[in-house]
Amino acid sequence: MELWPAESIWEQISPLLPGFTVEVLPEIDSTNTELMRRARAGRTEPTLLVAERQTAGRGRLGRPWQSAVGDSLTFSLALPFAPCDWSGLSLAVGVAVAESLHPDVGLKWPNDLWWQDRKLAGILIEAATSGGRSQVVVGIGINIRPRPAEGLSTPPAALTELWPEASAGATLLRLMPALVRTLQDFEQHGFAPLQARFEVRDVLRGREVHTSDGHSGMALGVGPTGALRLQQAGGERLIDSSEVSVRPLNTNTN
Ligand code: BTN
């Protein structure tokens, strides 16, 4: 079993989030599912839930999220959250995580972390309202050590390829303060102040892309609300992140 730096994380985060707790479980269906269950039951205390194994991990757009036990970091953070505008939240989380991991980690709109055109990590954000108060659940899965390609012609990226001593616990300790601070900044100011930081890591910019809802064009970057700007024959189109996935030409990962 991994040695988790739960106490160090708690010491760093509880001054930012009063009432914060850290829980590490050997197994659960999904850390997002569990924190959403708790939120709907009115449990709104800020919580970091880490699972060594998920039996029903979930990705975006209803996809399953598979992770190798011992070789990945899977966790969710729940906290009360009431921004004026939720647009661009997954991009903001991506910026926080990428910046805390390594200068070479890229961001693939709307919420994947990539390295060398391969997926390194994914983000699943959900919201719950209970008793008139809203809560956000931010779920993150990061490949720490390499694992097989599982049907893809390109294997996923792993953090040890960039940071050889990386472990799940050290990664979590490194990213948690940036994640919490970014969520708090986002709640106050939205995505616009983070736009430039997203753009320096944007792996789609300048590439021809296809969207799952049938659009294609040249990715031009993102707008101030985090929408993808697509250059098409008829002009520029803004693509909203909610129900869409995007694939650049000449790659097999998504
Ligand atoms: C995606 O790329 O589609 C998002 C993947 C998000 C996976 C993480 S792992 C921890 C948390 N619990 C889940 O069930 N999903 C998220």
Side-chain angles (χ1 to χ4, degrees), residues 30-33 54 56-60 65 73-76 111-112 119 121-124 139-141:
S30 147
T31 54
N32 261 52
T33 303
Q54 295 190 122
R58 294 187 290 114
R60 275 185 78 231
W65 177 261
L73 170 61
T74 50
F75 71 96
S76 303
N111 54 0
D112 286 349
K119 183 160 172 167
I123 298 164
L124 176 66
I140 301 180

PDB file of all heavy atoms in Angstrom, residues 30-33 54 56-60 65 73-76 111-112 119 121-124 139-141, ligand 1:
ATOM      1  N   SER A  30     -16.289   4.877  -7.082  1.00  0.00           N
ATOM      2  CA  SER A  30     -15.714   6.042  -7.746  1.00  0.00           C
ATOM      3  C   SER A  30     -15.659   7.173  -6.719  1.00  0.00           C
ATOM      4  O   SER A  30     -16.648   7.399  -6.002  1.00  0.00           O
ATOM      5  CB  SER A  30     -16.606   6.449  -8.934  1.00  0.00           C
ATOM      6  OG  SER A  30     -16.599   7.839  -9.145  1.00  0.00           O
ATOM      7  N   THR A  31     -14.543   7.849  -6.639  1.00  0.00           N
ATOM      8  CA  THR A  31     -14.434   8.939  -5.657  1.00  0.00           C
ATOM      9  C   THR A  31     -15.412  10.064  -6.002  1.00  0.00           C
ATOM     10  O   THR A  31     -15.971  10.700  -5.106  1.00  0.00           O
ATOM     11  CB  THR A  31     -12.993   9.474  -5.600  1.00  0.00           C
ATOM     12  OG1 THR A  31     -12.573   9.842  -6.923  1.00  0.00           O
ATOM     13  CG2 THR A  31     -12.044   8.446  -5.014  1.00  0.00           C
ATOM     14  N   ASN A  32     -15.656  10.305  -7.295  1.00  0.00           N
ATOM     15  CA  ASN A  32     -16.646  11.331  -7.659  1.00  0.00           C
ATOM     16  C   ASN A  32     -18.052  10.904  -7.235  1.00  0.00           C
ATOM     17  O   ASN A  32     -18.812  11.692  -6.661  1.00  0.00           O
ATOM     18  CB  ASN A  32     -16.642  11.582  -9.177  1.00  0.00           C
ATOM     19  CG  ASN A  32     -15.837  12.810  -9.548  1.00  0.00           C
ATOM     20  OD1 ASN A  32     -14.686  12.929  -9.147  1.00  0.00           O
ATOM     21  ND2 ASN A  32     -16.426  13.725 -10.304  1.00  0.00           N
ATOM     22  N   THR A  33     -18.382   9.642  -7.540  1.00  0.00           N
ATOM     23  CA  THR A  33     -19.721   9.155  -7.195  1.00  0.00           C
ATOM     24  C   THR A  33     -19.949   9.275  -5.689  1.00  0.00           C
ATOM     25  O   THR A  33     -21.010   9.721  -5.237  1.00  0.00           O
ATOM     26  CB  THR A  33     -19.881   7.688  -7.657  1.00  0.00           C
ATOM     27  OG1 THR A  33     -19.627   7.638  -9.060  1.00  0.00           O
ATOM     28  CG2 THR A  33     -21.260   7.141  -7.380  1.00  0.00           C
ATOM     29  N   GLN A  54     -10.516   2.059  -7.857  1.00  0.00           N
ATOM     30  CA  GLN A  54     -11.923   2.380  -8.155  1.00  0.00           C
ATOM     31  C   GLN A  54     -12.501   1.216  -8.955  1.00  0.00           C
ATOM     32  O   GLN A  54     -11.908   0.781  -9.946  1.00  0.00           O
ATOM     33  CB  GLN A  54     -12.027   3.656  -8.982  1.00  0.00           C
ATOM     34  CG  GLN A  54     -11.560   4.914  -8.251  1.00  0.00           C
ATOM     35  CD  GLN A  54     -11.906   6.170  -9.038  1.00  0.00           C
ATOM     36  OE1 GLN A  54     -12.606   7.034  -8.539  1.00  0.00           O
ATOM     37  NE2 GLN A  54     -11.423   6.275 -10.263  1.00  0.00           N
ATOM     38  N   ALA A  56     -15.591   1.384 -10.323  1.00  0.00           N
ATOM     39  CA  ALA A  56     -16.465   1.950 -11.364  1.00  0.00           C
ATOM     40  C   ALA A  56     -16.058   3.409 -11.609  1.00  0.00           C
ATOM     41  O   ALA A  56     -16.897   4.317 -11.524  1.00  0.00           O
ATOM     42  CB  ALA A  56     -17.924   1.837 -10.947  1.00  0.00           C
ATOM     43  N   GLY A  57     -14.772   3.605 -11.894  1.00  0.00           N
ATOM     44  CA  GLY A  57     -14.275   4.958 -12.179  1.00  0.00           C
ATOM     45  C   GLY A  57     -14.983   5.529 -13.400  1.00  0.00           C
ATOM     46  O   GLY A  57     -15.272   4.809 -14.359  1.00  0.00           O
ATOM     47  N   ARG A  58     -15.278   6.807 -13.337  1.00  0.00           N
ATOM     48  CA  ARG A  58     -16.022   7.450 -14.426  1.00  0.00           C
ATOM     49  C   ARG A  58     -15.204   8.547 -15.086  1.00  0.00           C
ATOM     50  O   ARG A  58     -14.509   9.310 -14.414  1.00  0.00           O
ATOM     51  CB  ARG A  58     -17.320   8.064 -13.889  1.00  0.00           C
ATOM     52  CG  ARG A  58     -18.305   7.038 -13.384  1.00  0.00           C
ATOM     53  CD  ARG A  58     -19.645   7.651 -13.016  1.00  0.00           C
ATOM     54  NE  ARG A  58     -19.595   8.476 -11.829  1.00  0.00           N
ATOM     55  CZ  ARG A  58     -19.785   9.788 -11.815  1.00  0.00           C
ATOM     56  NH1 ARG A  58     -20.016  10.459 -12.950  1.00  0.00           N
ATOM     57  NH2 ARG A  58     -19.742  10.456 -10.690  1.00  0.00           N
ATOM     58  N   GLY A  59     -15.311   8.629 -16.423  1.00  0.00           N
ATOM     59  CA  GLY A  59     -14.694   9.707 -17.181  1.00  0.00           C
ATOM     60  C   GLY A  59     -15.754  10.650 -17.710  1.00  0.00           C
ATOM     61  O   GLY A  59     -16.942  10.512 -17.370  1.00  0.00           O
ATOM     62  N   ARG A  60     -15.356  11.592 -18.530  1.00  0.00           N
ATOM     63  CA  ARG A  60     -16.311  12.515 -19.147  1.00  0.00           C
ATOM     64  C   ARG A  60     -17.201  11.776 -20.129  1.00  0.00           C
ATOM     65  O   ARG A  60     -16.837  10.722 -20.629  1.00  0.00           O
ATOM     66  CB  ARG A  60     -15.567  13.610 -19.925  1.00  0.00           C
ATOM     67  CG  ARG A  60     -15.138  14.779 -19.101  1.00  0.00           C
ATOM     68  CD  ARG A  60     -14.525  15.828 -20.021  1.00  0.00           C
ATOM     69  NE  ARG A  60     -15.531  16.582 -20.721  1.00  0.00           N
ATOM     70  CZ  ARG A  60     -15.541  16.765 -22.043  1.00  0.00           C
ATOM     71  NH1 ARG A  60     -14.639  16.216 -22.821  1.00  0.00           N
ATOM     72  NH2 ARG A  60     -16.479  17.508 -22.599  1.00  0.00           N
ATOM     73  N   TRP A  65     -13.555   5.118 -16.575  1.00  0.00           N
ATOM     74  CA  TRP A  65     -12.157   5.531 -16.368  1.00  0.00           C
ATOM     75  C   TRP A  65     -11.440   4.364 -15.711  1.00  0.00           C
ATOM     76  O   TRP A  65     -11.741   3.999 -14.580  1.00  0.00           O
ATOM     77  CB  TRP A  65     -12.077   6.778 -15.483  1.00  0.00           C
ATOM     78  CG  TRP A  65     -10.661   7.181 -15.181  1.00  0.00           C
ATOM     79  CD1 TRP A  65      -9.958   6.897 -14.040  1.00  0.00           C
ATOM     80  CD2 TRP A  65      -9.776   7.939 -16.025  1.00  0.00           C
ATOM     81  NE1 TRP A  65      -8.695   7.432 -14.135  1.00  0.00           N
ATOM     82  CE2 TRP A  65      -8.552   8.071 -15.332  1.00  0.00           C
ATOM     83  CE3 TRP A  65      -9.896   8.497 -17.289  1.00  0.00           C
ATOM     84  CZ2 TRP A  65      -7.458   8.748 -15.866  1.00  0.00           C
ATOM     85  CZ3 TRP A  65      -8.814   9.178 -17.811  1.00  0.00           C
ATOM     86  CH2 TRP A  65      -7.616   9.302 -17.113  1.00  0.00           C
ATOM     87  N   LEU A  73      -2.978   7.789  -9.759  1.00  0.00           N
ATOM     88  CA  LEU A  73      -3.529   8.598  -8.667  1.00  0.00           C
ATOM     89  C   LEU A  73      -4.970   8.912  -9.029  1.00  0.00           C
ATOM     90  O   LEU A  73      -5.233   9.485 -10.092  1.00  0.00           O
ATOM     91  CB  LEU A  73      -2.711   9.889  -8.534  1.00  0.00           C
ATOM     92  CG  LEU A  73      -3.285  10.974  -7.612  1.00  0.00           C
ATOM     93  CD1 LEU A  73      -3.405  10.471  -6.176  1.00  0.00           C
ATOM     94  CD2 LEU A  73      -2.405  12.233  -7.663  1.00  0.00           C
ATOM     95  N   THR A  74      -5.900   8.506  -8.174  1.00  0.00           N
ATOM     96  CA  THR A  74      -7.322   8.783  -8.425  1.00  0.00           C
ATOM     97  C   THR A  74      -7.911   9.425  -7.174  1.00  0.00           C
ATOM     98  O   THR A  74      -7.877   8.830  -6.095  1.00  0.00           O
ATOM     99  CB  THR A  74      -8.101   7.498  -8.777  1.00  0.00           C
ATOM    100  OG1 THR A  74      -7.817   6.489  -7.822  1.00  0.00           O
ATOM    101  CG2 THR A  74      -7.746   6.992 -10.152  1.00  0.00           C
ATOM    102  N   PHE A  75      -8.430  10.624  -7.336  1.00  0.00           N
ATOM    103  CA  PHE A  75      -8.974  11.325  -6.164  1.00  0.00           C
ATOM    104  C   PHE A  75     -10.019  12.343  -6.606  1.00  0.00           C
ATOM    105  O   PHE A  75     -10.082  12.725  -7.786  1.00  0.00           O
ATOM    106  CB  PHE A  75      -7.855  12.047  -5.395  1.00  0.00           C
ATOM    107  CG  PHE A  75      -7.298  13.252  -6.103  1.00  0.00           C
ATOM    108  CD1 PHE A  75      -7.758  14.528  -5.805  1.00  0.00           C
ATOM    109  CD2 PHE A  75      -6.323  13.118  -7.077  1.00  0.00           C
ATOM    110  CE1 PHE A  75      -7.253  15.645  -6.464  1.00  0.00           C
ATOM    111  CE2 PHE A  75      -5.802  14.225  -7.739  1.00  0.00           C
ATOM    112  CZ  PHE A  75      -6.266  15.488  -7.426  1.00  0.00           C
ATOM    113  N   SER A  76     -10.817  12.770  -5.621  1.00  0.00           N
ATOM    114  CA  SER A  76     -11.773  13.853  -5.858  1.00  0.00           C
ATOM    115  C   SER A  76     -11.737  14.806  -4.675  1.00  0.00           C
ATOM    116  O   SER A  76     -11.491  14.401  -3.538  1.00  0.00           O
ATOM    117  CB  SER A  76     -13.197  13.317  -6.019  1.00  0.00           C
ATOM    118  OG  SER A  76     -13.255  12.363  -7.067  1.00  0.00           O
ATOM    119  N   ASN A 111     -10.338  19.398 -21.010  1.00  0.00           N
ATOM    120  CA  ASN A 111      -9.855  19.085 -19.653  1.00  0.00           C
ATOM    121  C   ASN A 111      -8.952  17.865 -19.571  1.00  0.00           C
ATOM    122  O   ASN A 111      -8.997  17.132 -18.601  1.00  0.00           O
ATOM    123  CB  ASN A 111     -11.037  18.915 -18.679  1.00  0.00           C
ATOM    124  CG  ASN A 111     -12.031  17.912 -19.178  1.00  0.00           C
ATOM    125  OD1 ASN A 111     -11.838  17.353 -20.244  1.00  0.00           O
ATOM    126  ND2 ASN A 111     -13.066  17.664 -18.419  1.00  0.00           N
ATOM    127  N   ASP A 112      -8.116  17.657 -20.575  1.00  0.00           N
ATOM    128  CA  ASP A 112      -7.133  16.575 -20.482  1.00  0.00           C
ATOM    129  C   ASP A 112      -5.745  17.170 -20.327  1.00  0.00           C
ATOM    130  O   ASP A 112      -5.451  18.240 -20.881  1.00  0.00           O
ATOM    131  CB  ASP A 112      -7.111  15.735 -21.765  1.00  0.00           C
ATOM    132  CG  ASP A 112      -8.326  14.836 -21.879  1.00  0.00           C
ATOM    133  OD1 ASP A 112      -9.073  14.706 -20.894  1.00  0.00           O
ATOM    134  OD2 ASP A 112      -8.510  14.266 -22.969  1.00  0.00           O
ATOM    135  N   LYS A 119      -2.273  11.052 -23.589  1.00  0.00           N
ATOM    136  CA  LYS A 119      -3.023  11.498 -22.411  1.00  0.00           C
ATOM    137  C   LYS A 119      -2.314  11.090 -21.125  1.00  0.00           C
ATOM    138  O   LYS A 119      -2.010   9.915 -20.920  1.00  0.00           O
ATOM    139  CB  LYS A 119      -4.439  10.908 -22.455  1.00  0.00           C
ATOM    140  CG  LYS A 119      -5.322  11.376 -21.305  1.00  0.00           C
ATOM    141  CD  LYS A 119      -6.783  11.185 -21.647  1.00  0.00           C
ATOM    142  CE  LYS A 119      -7.686  11.462 -20.468  1.00  0.00           C
ATOM    143  NZ  LYS A 119      -9.093  11.585 -20.856  1.00  0.00           N
ATOM    144  N   ALA A 121      -3.510  12.623 -17.976  1.00  0.00           N
ATOM    145  CA  ALA A 121      -4.479  12.757 -16.882  1.00  0.00           C
ATOM    146  C   ALA A 121      -5.801  13.285 -17.420  1.00  0.00           C
ATOM    147  O   ALA A 121      -5.840  13.923 -18.478  1.00  0.00           O
ATOM    148  CB  ALA A 121      -3.938  13.721 -15.823  1.00  0.00           C
ATOM    149  N   GLY A 122      -6.870  12.998 -16.673  1.00  0.00           N
ATOM    150  CA  GLY A 122      -8.192  13.496 -17.045  1.00  0.00           C
ATOM    151  C   GLY A 122      -8.894  14.102 -15.839  1.00  0.00           C
ATOM    152  O   GLY A 122      -8.562  13.785 -14.688  1.00  0.00           O
ATOM    153  N   ILE A 123      -9.846  14.963 -16.123  1.00  0.00           N
ATOM    154  CA  ILE A 123     -10.556  15.714 -15.081  1.00  0.00           C
ATOM    155  C   ILE A 123     -12.058  15.545 -15.294  1.00  0.00           C
ATOM    156  O   ILE A 123     -12.539  15.683 -16.422  1.00  0.00           O
ATOM    157  CB  ILE A 123     -10.190  17.216 -15.174  1.00  0.00           C
ATOM    158  CG1 ILE A 123      -8.698  17.415 -14.930  1.00  0.00           C
ATOM    159  CG2 ILE A 123     -11.016  18.052 -14.204  1.00  0.00           C
ATOM    160  CD1 ILE A 123      -8.183  18.786 -15.375  1.00  0.00           C
ATOM    161  N   LEU A 124     -12.772  15.232 -14.238  1.00  0.00           N
ATOM    162  CA  LEU A 124     -14.237  15.136 -14.299  1.00  0.00           C
ATOM    163  C   LEU A 124     -14.813  16.045 -13.232  1.00  0.00           C
ATOM    164  O   LEU A 124     -14.585  15.823 -12.041  1.00  0.00           O
ATOM    165  CB  LEU A 124     -14.677  13.680 -14.039  1.00  0.00           C
ATOM    166  CG  LEU A 124     -16.186  13.451 -13.980  1.00  0.00           C
ATOM    167  CD1 LEU A 124     -16.834  13.698 -15.339  1.00  0.00           C
ATOM    168  CD2 LEU A 124     -16.489  12.029 -13.503  1.00  0.00           C
ATOM    169  N   GLY A 139     -12.880  15.683  -9.838  1.00  0.00           N
ATOM    170  CA  GLY A 139     -12.223  14.367  -9.842  1.00  0.00           C
ATOM    171  C   GLY A 139     -11.067  14.368 -10.819  1.00  0.00           C
ATOM    172  O   GLY A 139     -11.192  14.877 -11.941  1.00  0.00           O
ATOM    173  N   ILE A 140      -9.950  13.805 -10.390  1.00  0.00           N
ATOM    174  CA  ILE A 140      -8.756  13.809 -11.240  1.00  0.00           C
ATOM    175  C   ILE A 140      -8.126  12.417 -11.229  1.00  0.00           C
ATOM    176  O   ILE A 140      -7.982  11.791 -10.176  1.00  0.00           O
ATOM    177  CB  ILE A 140      -7.738  14.868 -10.742  1.00  0.00           C
ATOM    178  CG1 ILE A 140      -8.401  16.255 -10.773  1.00  0.00           C
ATOM    179  CG2 ILE A 140      -6.465  14.845 -11.592  1.00  0.00           C
ATOM    180  CD1 ILE A 140      -7.532  17.407 -10.315  1.00  0.00           C
ATOM    181  N   GLY A 141      -7.784  11.939 -12.405  1.00  0.00           N
ATOM    182  CA  GLY A 141      -7.054  10.672 -12.540  1.00  0.00           C
ATOM    183  C   GLY A 141      -5.755  10.941 -13.277  1.00  0.00           C
ATOM    184  O   GLY A 141      -5.767  11.526 -14.363  1.00  0.00           O
TER     185      GLY A 141
HETATM  186  C1  BTN B   1     -11.778  11.927 -18.386  1.00  0.00           C
HETATM  187  O1  BTN B   1     -10.661  12.084 -18.894  1.00  0.00           O
HETATM  188  O2  BTN B   1     -12.738  11.517 -19.056  1.00  0.00           O
HETATM  189  C2  BTN B   1     -11.966  12.256 -16.938  1.00  0.00           C
HETATM  190  C3  BTN B   1     -11.374  11.192 -16.048  1.00  0.00           C
HETATM  191  C4  BTN B   1     -11.566  11.477 -14.573  1.00  0.00           C
HETATM  192  C5  BTN B   1     -11.138  10.298 -13.719  1.00  0.00           C
HETATM  193  C6  BTN B   1     -11.144  10.624 -12.250  1.00  0.00           C
HETATM  194  S1  BTN B   1     -10.367   9.372 -11.295  1.00  0.00           S
HETATM  195  C7  BTN B   1     -10.955  10.102  -9.823  1.00  0.00           C
HETATM  196  C8  BTN B   1     -12.379  10.567 -10.098  1.00  0.00           C
HETATM  197  N1  BTN B   1     -13.319   9.496  -9.874  1.00  0.00           N
HETATM  198  C9  BTN B   1     -13.910   9.096 -10.994  1.00  0.00           C
HETATM  199  O3  BTN B   1     -14.745   8.184 -11.082  1.00  0.00           O
HETATM  200  N2  BTN B   1     -13.472   9.839 -12.016  1.00  0.00           N
HETATM  201  C10 BTN B   1     -12.514  10.826 -11.606  1.00  0.00           C
END
